[in-house]
PDB file of all heavy atoms in Angstrom:
ATOM      1  N   ASN U  10      85.281  82.881  66.066  1.00 36.00           N
ATOM      2  CA  ASN U  10      85.298  81.479  66.423  1.00 36.00           C
ATOM      3  C   ASN U  10      83.936  80.820  66.592  1.00 36.00           C
ATOM      4  O   ASN U  10      83.766  79.925  67.389  1.00 36.00           O
ATOM      5  CB  ASN U  10      86.057  81.332  67.732  1.00 36.00           C
ATOM      6  CG  ASN U  10      86.817  80.049  67.696  1.00 36.00           C
ATOM      7  OD1 ASN U  10      87.524  79.808  66.731  1.00 36.00           O
ATOM      8  ND2 ASN U  10      86.633  79.233  68.690  1.00 36.00           N
ATOM      9  N   GLN U  75      89.914  72.180  75.823  1.00 94.00           N
ATOM     10  CA  GLN U  75      89.515  72.919  74.629  1.00 94.00           C
ATOM     11  C   GLN U  75      90.731  73.275  73.791  1.00 94.00           C
ATOM     12  O   GLN U  75      90.704  73.201  72.565  1.00 94.00           O
ATOM     13  CB  GLN U  75      88.776  74.191  75.034  1.00 94.00           C
ATOM     14  CG  GLN U  75      88.551  75.157  73.894  1.00 94.00           C
ATOM     15  CD  GLN U  75      87.865  76.434  74.358  1.00 94.00           C
ATOM     16  OE1 GLN U  75      86.654  76.465  74.500  1.00 94.00           O
ATOM     17  NE2 GLN U  75      88.633  77.469  74.603  1.00 94.00           N
ATOM     18  N   THR U  79      91.091  72.221  69.899  1.00 89.00           N
ATOM     19  CA  THR U  79      91.180  73.201  68.819  1.00 89.00           C
ATOM     20  C   THR U  79      92.548  73.197  68.167  1.00 89.00           C
ATOM     21  O   THR U  79      92.736  73.777  67.111  1.00 89.00           O
ATOM     22  CB  THR U  79      90.864  74.626  69.315  1.00 89.00           C
ATOM     23  OG1 THR U  79      91.785  74.957  70.373  1.00 89.00           O
ATOM     24  CG2 THR U  79      89.443  74.727  69.839  1.00 89.00           C
ATOM     25  N   PHE U  80      93.504  72.557  68.820  1.00 89.00           N
ATOM     26  CA  PHE U  80      94.833  72.505  68.221  1.00 89.00           C
ATOM     27  C   PHE U  80      94.870  71.554  67.028  1.00 89.00           C
ATOM     28  O   PHE U  80      95.576  71.778  66.063  1.00 89.00           O
ATOM     29  CB  PHE U  80      95.860  72.062  69.271  1.00 89.00           C
ATOM     30  CG  PHE U  80      97.267  72.075  68.757  1.00 89.00           C
ATOM     31  CD1 PHE U  80      97.983  73.262  68.716  1.00 89.00           C
ATOM     32  CD2 PHE U  80      97.863  70.913  68.277  1.00 89.00           C
ATOM     33  CE1 PHE U  80      99.276  73.279  68.225  1.00 89.00           C
ATOM     34  CE2 PHE U  80      99.157  70.931  67.785  1.00 89.00           C
ATOM     35  CZ  PHE U  80      99.876  72.127  67.756  1.00 89.00           C
TER      36      PHE U  80
ATOM     37  N   MET S 171      93.648  78.685  72.072  1.00 89.00           N
ATOM     38  CA  MET S 171      92.589  78.134  71.260  1.00 89.00           C
ATOM     39  C   MET S 171      93.071  78.230  69.825  1.00 89.00           C
ATOM     40  O   MET S 171      93.667  79.236  69.443  1.00 89.00           O
ATOM     41  CB  MET S 171      91.327  78.963  71.437  1.00 89.00           C
ATOM     42  CG  MET S 171      90.115  78.346  70.829  1.00 89.00           C
ATOM     43  SD  MET S 171      88.710  79.134  71.602  1.00 89.00           S
ATOM     44  CE  MET S 171      87.393  78.205  70.919  1.00 89.00           C
ATOM     45  N   ASP S 172      92.820  77.177  69.073  1.00 84.00           N
ATOM     46  CA  ASP S 172      93.255  77.096  67.685  1.00 84.00           C
ATOM     47  C   ASP S 172      94.781  77.069  67.585  1.00 84.00           C
ATOM     48  O   ASP S 172      95.478  77.115  68.592  1.00 84.00           O
ATOM     49  CB  ASP S 172      92.683  78.244  66.833  1.00 84.00           C
ATOM     50  CG  ASP S 172      91.179  78.125  66.736  1.00 84.00           C
ATOM     51  OD1 ASP S 172      90.664  77.019  66.975  1.00 84.00           O
ATOM     52  OD2 ASP S 172      90.530  79.140  66.452  1.00 84.00           O
ATOM     53  N   ARG S 173      95.240  77.007  66.360  1.00 77.00           N
ATOM     54  CA  ARG S 173      96.689  76.891  66.182  1.00 77.00           C
ATOM     55  C   ARG S 173      97.134  77.863  65.103  1.00 77.00           C
ATOM     56  O   ARG S 173      96.311  78.508  64.463  1.00 77.00           O
ATOM     57  CB  ARG S 173      97.049  75.453  65.805  1.00 77.00           C
ATOM     58  CG  ARG S 173      96.739  75.097  64.382  1.00 77.00           C
ATOM     59  CD  ARG S 173      96.497  73.647  64.196  1.00 77.00           C
ATOM     60  NE  ARG S 173      95.075  73.367  64.404  1.00 77.00           N
ATOM     61  CZ  ARG S 173      94.136  73.595  63.480  1.00 77.00           C
ATOM     62  NH1 ARG S 173      94.457  74.077  62.308  1.00 77.00           N
ATOM     63  NH2 ARG S 173      92.867  73.344  63.719  1.00 77.00           N
ATOM     64  N   ALA S 183      85.002  78.093  75.465  1.00 88.00           N
ATOM     65  CA  ALA S 183      83.976  78.539  74.522  1.00 88.00           C
ATOM     66  C   ALA S 183      84.179  80.001  74.120  1.00 88.00           C
ATOM     67  O   ALA S 183      83.276  80.622  73.571  1.00 88.00           O
ATOM     68  CB  ALA S 183      82.565  78.307  75.054  1.00 88.00           C
TER      69      ALA S 183
END
Side-chain angles (χ1 to χ4, degrees):
Chain U
N10 215 51
Q75 169 182 278
T79 58
F80 184 81
Chain S
M171 190 161 186
D172 295 340
R173 76 206 89 79

